[in-house]
Amino acid sequence: MSITGVIILLLCLGMIIGGILLLKKSAKKFNLTEQQLKDIKARNQELEKEEQQEK
């Protein structure tokens, strides 16, 4: 493999690894309150009821 090929390969690997590390660093968990969790569960139940009625 030529020097140019090796350099291109290393640059591609660096970009891929850098992108993965950036995604891992920027990933955050959601800190939801109890009210927000209740609202989400209620909305999910409503959607399930609508899906059951459509069938």
Side-chain angles (χ1 to χ4, degrees):
M1 194 181 297
S2 67
I3 296 290
T4 307
V6 171
I7 291 173
I8 291 173
L9 181 64
L10 289 175
L11 285 173
C12 290
L13 287 174
M15 287 175 62
I16 292 170
I17 292 171
I20 291 171
L21 292 175
L22 181 66
L23 284 173
K24 183 180 176 185
K25 184 178 178 182
S26 65
K28 296 179 182 177
K29 289 187 175 183
F30 291 110
N31 294 325
L32 300 175
T33 63
E34 291 296 323
Q35 181 63 36
Q36 289 172 327
L37 287 173
K38 270 204 288 192
D39 292 342
I40 291 171
K41 288 179 184 178
R43 192 175 327 134
N44 285 339
Q45 288 177 353
E46 289 174 10
L47 289 173
E48 287 176 4
K49 287 178 186 177
E50 289 177 10
E51 286 177 359
Q52 290 296 327
Q53 290 174 355
E54 289 176 3
K55 290 183 181 180

